[in-house]
C-alpha cells in the first residue's frame, strides 16, 4: 500500500449506524467441513434474527465464489486470499452496523485468526460446525465428496486438503447429532448470554 494513502475518518461511524439499527454489530463466523451444515444453520439463524427485527447479511462461501472470489481456486494460497477478502467484506458490513453471518469452510486456523484480529474487540464469534467426516460424506448434498473420492476434484477439504479444528471457538455445534432448530437455539442462547441481542429474542420451537 502506498504511504500516501491516509485513512479518512468520517462523521458517521459504526456506533451511529448500530444505534440507528438498535443492535450490536457482529460477525458470526461458521467454519467446518463441506456439508457439515454451515449454510443451513446460518440461513436458519438469519431467518429467525430478521423475523425478530435484526438487520443481517449472510455471506456464503459458494455464493462469493461466483463473484467477488471467482478468480480464486482451492490451493492453500487461494484459500488464504479467499478468507482475507471475505474477512475484509465482513468487517465492512459489521462497520455498517449489520450482524454478519459468514459461512466458509475456512480450513486454516491462521486465516480465521486474522479475521478475528481485524475486527473490533468482541465482534467476532467463531462457530465450529462440528460434524464428523463420515456424516458429511454420507450427506454429500452436492455430490462433491463422491467426486473428490473419484479424483475428479482435487484439494477437497477432508479428503486431500487439511481442516484445522478450531481450538477456541466461542460455540461448538455437534451438527452430526443435533437438529437445525436445536443448533439455532444454541446460537441464540450464546448470543443472548454474550449480550448481543439487545432487541431480545424468542427461541425456535423444537419439533416433538
Ligand atoms: P455446508 O454449508 O457446511 O457445506 P450445507 O448446509 O450446505 O453444508 O449442507 C448440509 C446438509 O446437511 C444439508 O443438506 C442439510 O439439510 C443437511 N443436514 C441434516 N442434518 C443437519 C443438521 N443437524 N444441521 C445442519 N445440516 C443438516
Amino acid at each position: 500500500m502506498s504511504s500516501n494513502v491516509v485513512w479518512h475518518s468520517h462523521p458517521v461511524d459504526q456506533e451511529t449506524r448500530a444505534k440507528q439499527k438498535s443492535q450490536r454489530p457482529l460477525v458470526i463466523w461458521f467454519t467446518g467441513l463441506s456439508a457439515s451444515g454451515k449454510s443451513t444453520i446460518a440461513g436458519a439463524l438469519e431467518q429467525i434474527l430478521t423475523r425478530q427485527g435484526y438487520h443481517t447479511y449472510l455471506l456464503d462461501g459458494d455464493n462469493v465464489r461466483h463473484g467477488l472470489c471467482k478468480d480464486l481456486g482451492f490451493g492453500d494460497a487461494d484459500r488464504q486470499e479467499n478468507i482475507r477478502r471475505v474477512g475484509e467484506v465482513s468487517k465492512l458490513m459489521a462497520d455498517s452496523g449489520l450482524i454478519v453471518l459468514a459461512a466458509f469452510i475456512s480450513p486454516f486456523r491462521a486465516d480465521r485468526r486474522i479475521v478475528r484480529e481485524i475486527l473490533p474487540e468482541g465482534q467476532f464469534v467463531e462457530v465450529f460446525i462440528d460434524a464428523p467426516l463420515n456424516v458429511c460424506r454420507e450427506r454429500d448434498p452436492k455430490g462433491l465428496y463422491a467426486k473428490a473420492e473419484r479424483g475428479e476434484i482435487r484439494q477437497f477439504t477432508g479428503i486431500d486438503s487439511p481442516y484445522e479444528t478450531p481450538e477456541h471457538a466461542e460455540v461448538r455445534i455437534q451438527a452430526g447429532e443435533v437438529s437445525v432448530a436445536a443448533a439455532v437455539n444454541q446460537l441464540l442462547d450464546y448470543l443472548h448470554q454474550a449480550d448481543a441481542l439487545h432487541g431480545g429474542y424468542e427461541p425456535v420451537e423444537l419439533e416433538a
Side-chain angles (χ1 to χ4, degrees):
M1 188 181 66
S2 162
S3 58
N4 293 326
V5 181
V6 179
W7 187 269
H8 190 119
S9 288
H10 292 282
V12 177
D13 60 8
Q14 189 193 44
E15 203 186 327
T16 317
R17 290 183 282 257
K19 235 183 231 159
Q20 190 184 41
K21 294 183 175 61
S22 308
Q23 65 184 27
R24 228 186 87 190
L26 213 56
V27 174
I28 308 172
W29 188 276
F30 296 80
T31 173
L33 294 171
S34 178
S36 57
K38 301 180 295 297
S39 299
T40 306
I41 295 168
L45 175 64
E46 186 182 36
Q47 202 176 10
I48 299 299
L49 289 176
T50 50
R51 220 181 267 162
Q52 299 186 13
Y54 295 95
H55 301 260
T56 63
Y57 192 84
L58 171 50
L59 271 170
D60 185 284
D62 288 329
N63 298 355
V64 299
R65 278 186 178 273
H66 282 91
L68 177 69
C69 298
K70 72 175 171 191
D71 55 322
L72 301 176
F74 291 88
D76 290 2
D78 277 9
R79 285 180 187 271
Q80 190 181 353
E81 173 60 11
N82 185 44
I83 297 309
R84 190 194 68 79
R85 283 186 205 171
V86 296
E88 292 289 349
V89 171
S90 301
K91 182 181 173 181
L92 290 173
M93 288 187 160
D95 195 50
S96 80
L98 294 175
I99 295 175
V100 181
L101 301 96
F104 295 91
I105 297 174
S106 47
F108 302 128
R109 267 181 216 130
D111 297 343
R112 297 192 300 261
R113 191 183 328 118
I114 289 169
V115 183
R116 184 187 289 274
E117 283 169 4
I118 62 171
L119 280 154
E121 180 76 28
Q123 291 187 19
F124 182 83
V125 174
E126 190 169 352
V127 179
F128 178 24
I129 303 297
D130 187 7
L133 182 60
N134 64 322
V135 170
C136 297
R137 266 179 164 151
E138 264 165 44
R139 285 181 184 164
D140 204 12
K142 297 170 192 153
L144 298 177
Y145 283 98
K147 281 192 183 169
E149 277 154 25
R150 291 196 299 268
E152 291 165 26
I153 307 179
R154 288 283 148 90
Q155 297 172 311
F156 195 75
T157 303
I159 305 295
D160 57 353
S161 187
Y163 179 77
E164 297 174 356
T165 305
E167 285 170 335
H168 307 291
E170 276 77 6
V171 184
R172 172 173 165 251
I173 291 175
Q174 291 184 277
E177 290 166 31
V178 302
S179 68
V180 175
V184 170
N185 277 335
Q186 190 184 336
L187 285 162
L188 287 171
D189 204 42
Y190 171 82
L191 294 171
H192 174 66
Q193 299 291 329
D195 206 21
L197 296 179
H198 292 167
Y201 79 106
E202 292 285 331
V204 181
E205 291 247 346
L206 293 177
E207 285 149 31

